[in-house]
Amino acid sequence: MVSKKVTITNAMGFHMRPASNFAAAMGKYPCKVTIKANGNDTDGKSLMNIIAACIKCGTDAEIVCDGEQEQQALVHSSTLRAVYRLPAFFI
């Protein structure tokens, strides 16, 4: 199991587009991906679960990957700029 703490800095929070990008990217890995935020554990491969978690701007979260290719998944999750701050043309 590997994890990384992050802060959501996107002004709109973890809304539909970044959640979709994140879930799609994490779905490519066989490991379990969990987002721990606001006292809840959320399936990081499920778009609907991420949206339902209501992760807002400024939220401290922990991305946890457990299983086969966990390190690769964690590195990939850390490179998804859309999760943390969207370029202006995406907003």
Side-chain angles (χ1 to χ4, degrees):
M1 180 178 75
V2 294
S3 67
K4 180 172 185 160
K5 294 188 185 222
V6 297
T7 300
I8 306 302
T9 58
N10 181 324
M12 297 176 74
F14 212 167
H15 63 91
M16 187 64 84
R17 182 169 287 140
S20 177
N21 291 343
F22 187 89
M26 295 301 99
K28 297 176 183 177
Y29 295 96
C31 62
K32 181 178 177 183
V33 178
T34 304
I35 303 168
K36 296 181 178 229
N38 301 323
N40 297 313
D41 291 355
T42 303
D43 180 0
K45 294 183 178 184
S46 169
L47 171 60
M48 296 309 292
N49 286 349
I50 296 171
I51 294 300
C54 291
I55 303 172
K56 302 199 181 303
C57 182
T59 300
D60 292 322
E62 182 177 14
I63 310 297
V64 180
C65 301
D66 188 20
E68 187 179 338
Q69 295 184 359
E70 62 189 20
Q71 190 64 46
Q72 293 93 324
L74 186 65
V75 168
H76 193 173
S77 76
S78 298
T79 63
L80 293 171
R81 285 183 13 159
V83 173
Y84 313 113
R85 178 169 290 147
L86 286 175
F89 59 88
F90 278 115
I91 295 176

